[in-house]
Amino acid sequence: MIETGKMDDGKFRLSCSLYELVEIWSMRNSEVELVYIDENGKQQERNGIITNVYSRDGLEQLVLDNELIIPTKNLITVNDVQFRDYMK
């Protein structure tokens, strides 16, 4: 597995509706377009299939194509759905 590196240890949880969207894309094996912040603070884009979503030590994580692990707090958009600052 390729991880995005150690991020801030702060706990974070997606809203239920956003988490459910991620789960639906995963269950359908639908290719998604992700925009996220990597461990260096740089914006990245990647297409792939969400193969897992889980929480470990209070940090929710998304696995793309069984190789890239992205903390959900680093997601900006998934399929043009806003994940970052969605409450603003």
Side-chain angles (χ1 to χ4, degrees), residues 1-40:
M1 294 269 173
I2 300 169
E3 296 197 28
T4 58
K6 184 156 176 73
M7 302 286 182
D8 179 349
D9 286 335
K11 306 234 188 270
F12 176 82
R13 292 182 58 120
L14 286 177
S15 73
C16 291
S17 59
L18 291 177
Y19 193 88
E20 286 176 0
L21 275 176
V22 169
E23 286 184 318
I24 289 167
W25 287 317
S26 175
M27 289 185 315
R28 290 184 177 168
N29 288 322
S30 301
E31 184 169 307
V32 297
E33 180 181 304
L34 289 177
V35 179
Y36 64 97
I37 302 296
D38 69 11
E39 72 275 8
N40 297 314

